[in-house]
Amino acid sequence: MWARERNTKKEVKDLAGRLQRLMREILMAKDDQPPERTEDKQGTATSDVPATKRMVSVSVQTDAGLGEDDEDPGTVKYEDIQKVNSFGEFMGLERKNWKEKIFKNTTIIGGSLLKANREEDIAYLLEKGGEKENENKGNEGIRKAIEERYPDLQDIEGDVSVLAVSTKVEDKEGFVKVRERHIYKVATTGEGEDWFHRLSQVRDKMVSHKRGRLSLYPPISDGNGARTRKMLECLLQGTNIKGTIYVKGMPRDKHGGTPPGNVVKRNRDTEAILVERGGNSYADLLRRVKDSVSVSSVAARGIKTIREGRNGQMVIVIDKSDREGREELQKQLADAKINANRRGRTKVFVIKDVDGDTSKEEVLNAVLKDTGLEPEDCTGGELRPYFGGNRAMTLRVEASKAKKLIEIGKIRIGLNQCPVTERIQVIQCFNCWRFGHTKVECKESGEKSNLCRNCAGEGHKGEECDRRPKCLSCNEAGHRTGSGRCTEFRKALNKARLSSKRKKAS
């Protein structure tokens, strides 16, 4: 029934052709009969008119574009897709012209597979071997994130394995519904016949389980997802399944299978000021800020919202364009002895080999002079001891303006050429204190954020502790949490360094 509906126009055209032939046969049969005579309105006889001259022209009007495609052997048609049952048949079709209107079951959008609707099934890849074996780790981040979200996936094996996950959801009326999602774990080289065969296995499993929507990302060998989309379009013919292919690095809109263009990044019109809690509760800190900043003042004019951050600090979101309001707000918070730092998306740098006679202000002035940055674009830490009697300083620079600092690599400060290196950032969770994910993404049920960061004990803070140090990250004694001596930190740091090198090389 589905196939007949998809070929309605073709059937109408065939029917019209048969009707034309039938009419022609009827009229030709009358050629053997005497010619008919016609009369005008007054009854006067007129010339004889052969019956064959009264043939009716029957035609069917269809979409001009579709008619042209039907005549063009180089353009893919619906019936071509329906005939594909093997990779060899797909290969014969792949090189033809695929117009966007031929794609009825698949869509390509930009973004991460992790953003897919929770009611959609997802398929993720374990890519092994293939011509681009050294590049197959490009999708590792997605795989790890999915397996962290659904740990049971790590225990199942097979070319195409499936895990069914049920979630109870309460609607607005208070009724509890069970929502089921299937996650397909696909082992593949991601190339040619193997990828086609794995996709067909996923389709068969979805049909048998009566599933309706599938989201996946293409293998490394099919960066823009165009080939995967064509394969999936062929395989989903005759089913009720719709497929969405997520491609990293392209806008989140429908795409016709051509290589993605440049992504337009949205410039933020807000920035944030972080207010540290110190020894206060968030409620006490909020009260102090409200007492310090008058609602009618210039300082309050650019405030968008105030909220609690992930790590317990206060986040004040302000209008980026209101420079006067920002400066006044920081001044009023400083007068009230509230520790506040401006924060946007920043990159962290370390400036080394600063001589012992140079002040922090001189270092910042040298940075501004060589990079063309404004004072509000960067924040410097205090100078600290470094090798050979020299010192080093940590510098935070707004990410969008850090390119110049990366390019120059060195800054003349006094008589020294001081190297500038970007610090490798290691993501750490402040719930379980492990590395590689944030507190929001943490799956640990236990709450460790209130434990002492010096001894890992309860009931007090690290600033007050004089017990023997014990690390919450590696669970080893002899150093406190956050120390560079932590073995788990060193592993995470080495991993981040390797990742940074790969990005620079690519």
Side-chain angles (χ1 to χ4, degrees), residues 400-431:
S400 62
K401 301 180 180 180
K403 184 178 179 181
K404 179 68 174 178
L405 197 57
I406 296 173
E407 290 175 349
I408 60 178
K410 290 185 178 182
I411 292 179
R412 169 76 69 179
I413 304 175
L415 298 177
N416 288 4
Q417 286 276 7
C418 301
V420 180
T421 57
E422 185 177 355
R423 176 177 288 175
I424 302 298
Q425 301 281 17
V426 178
I427 299 173
Q428 184 175 19
C429 172
F430 293 103
N431 179 53

Side-chain angles (χ1 to χ4, degrees), residues 52-79:
T52 54
K53 296 296 184 180
R54 292 181 286 106
M55 182 181 293
V56 178
S57 176
V58 180
S59 65
V60 176
Q61 183 177 358
T62 60
D63 292 339
L66 184 61
E68 292 171 4
D69 292 350
D70 288 343
E71 300 299 327
D72 182 4
T75 298
V76 176
K77 297 182 280 292
Y78 295 127
E79 53 266 32

Side-chain angles (χ1 to χ4, degrees), residues 145-174:
I146 291 173
E147 291 185 349
E148 283 181 3
R149 185 177 292 179
Y150 306 104
D152 291 342
L153 287 167
Q154 300 178 36
D155 300 326
I156 61 176
E157 297 181 355
D159 292 335
V160 177
S161 308
V162 59
L163 175 70
V165 180
S166 298
T167 307
K168 292 183 179 180
V169 181
E170 185 174 334
D171 60 20
K172 294 180 180 179
E173 287 74 27

Side-chain angles (χ1 to χ4, degrees), residues 130-156:
E131 295 179 3
K132 298 194 176 185
E133 182 172 5
N134 293 331
E135 299 178 17
N136 285 343
K137 293 186 178 180
N139 288 324
E140 281 289 281
I142 301 176
R143 180 188 68 80
K144 290 181 179 179
I146 291 173
E147 291 185 349
E148 283 181 3
R149 185 177 292 179
Y150 306 104
D152 291 342
L153 287 167
Q154 300 178 36
D155 300 326
I156 61 176

Side-chain angles (χ1 to χ4, degrees), residues 21-80:
R21 289 191 294 271
L22 181 61
M23 292 288 293
R24 190 177 297 113
E25 290 172 1
I26 293 172
L27 295 173
M28 288 179 68
K30 292 184 178 182
D31 286 345
D32 297 333
Q33 301 177 5
E36 294 182 1
R37 299 182 66 83
T38 61
E39 296 181 353
D40 58 15
K41 292 182 180 179
Q42 287 76 26
T44 307
T46 61
S47 61
D48 296 331
V49 181
T52 54
K53 296 296 184 180
R54 292 181 286 106
M55 182 181 293
V56 178
S57 176
V58 180
S59 65
V60 176
Q61 183 177 358
T62 60
D63 292 339
L66 184 61
E68 292 171 4
D69 292 350
D70 288 343
E71 300 299 327
D72 182 4
T75 298
V76 176
K77 297 182 280 292
Y78 295 127
E79 53 266 32
D80 296 334

Side-chain angles (χ1 to χ4, degrees), residues 145-365:
I146 291 173
E147 291 185 349
E148 283 181 3
R149 185 177 292 179
Y150 306 104
D152 291 342
L153 287 167
Q154 300 178 36
D155 300 326
I156 61 176
E157 297 181 355
D159 292 335
V160 177
S161 308
V162 59
L163 175 70
V165 180
S166 298
T167 307
K168 292 183 179 180
V169 181
E170 185 174 334
D171 60 20
K172 294 180 180 179
E173 287 74 27
F175 295 101
V176 176
K177 297 181 180 179
V178 177
R179 185 171 62 192
E180 188 173 83
R181 185 184 210 183
H182 288 191
I183 299 100
Y184 300 89
K185 182 178 180 180
V186 184
T188 177
T189 63
E191 297 175 6
E193 188 170 6
D194 183 78
W195 180 224
F196 185 90
H197 181 56
R198 297 292 176 254
L199 285 175
S200 66
Q201 288 179 292
V202 173
R203 176 207 58 191
D204 293 343
K205 288 179 181 291
M206 292 190 70
V207 170
S208 66
H209 292 110
K210 298 180 180 180
R211 308 301 296 171
R213 298 196 66 85
L214 174 69
S215 293
L216 71 161
Y217 56 87
I220 292 293
S221 58
D222 182 25
N224 62 19
R227 194 182 203 197
T228 299
R229 189 187 190 192
K230 293 174 183 177
M231 287 184 180
L232 205 57
E233 187 67 35
C234 294
L235 292 169
L236 297 185
Q237 293 291 320
T239 73
N240 294 319
I241 302 171
K242 302 296 181 184
T244 302
I245 301 161
Y246 283 80
V247 176
K248 295 182 289 185
M250 66 176 285
R252 289 185 60 85
D253 56 7
K254 291 187 178 181
H255 199 273
T258 55
N262 296 327
V263 179
V264 179
K265 295 184 178 180
R266 179 175 62 89
N267 293 323
R268 293 177 176 268
D269 56 3
T270 60
E271 59 184 354
I273 291 179
L274 296 186
V275 180
E276 300 298 332
R277 281 172 52 180
N280 302 314
S281 66
Y282 178 77
D284 291 339
L285 181 59
L286 180 61
R287 195 175 300 110
R288 287 183 61 195
V289 170
K290 291 175 72 174
D291 290 342
S292 304
V293 181
S294 172
V295 175
S296 59
S297 67
V298 174
R301 181 178 60 195
I303 295 178
K304 298 289 186 182
T305 185
I306 298 177
R307 58 179 173 82
E308 186 175 7
R310 279 199 307 242
N311 303 323
Q313 76 275 53
M314 176 183 289
V315 180
I316 304 177
V317 181
I318 61 175
D319 185 349
K320 195 173 184 179
S321 62
D322 190 358
R323 192 169 181 175
E324 182 186 2
R326 181 185 68 219
E327 293 174 353
E328 183 62 25
L329 175 62
Q330 290 179 309
K331 181 177 181 300
Q332 291 189 18
L333 292 176
D335 291 343
K337 297 183 179 180
I338 298 174
N339 184 20
N341 296 304
R342 175 170 169 248
R343 185 199 73 173
R345 288 184 176 272
T346 61
K347 288 184 178 291
V348 182
F349 296 86
V350 178
I351 303 175
K352 303 174 183 177
D353 283 341
V354 180
D355 67 60
D357 192 45
T358 301
S359 66
K360 173 182 175 180
E361 288 71 23
E362 289 174 319
V363 174
L364 289 174
N365 288 336

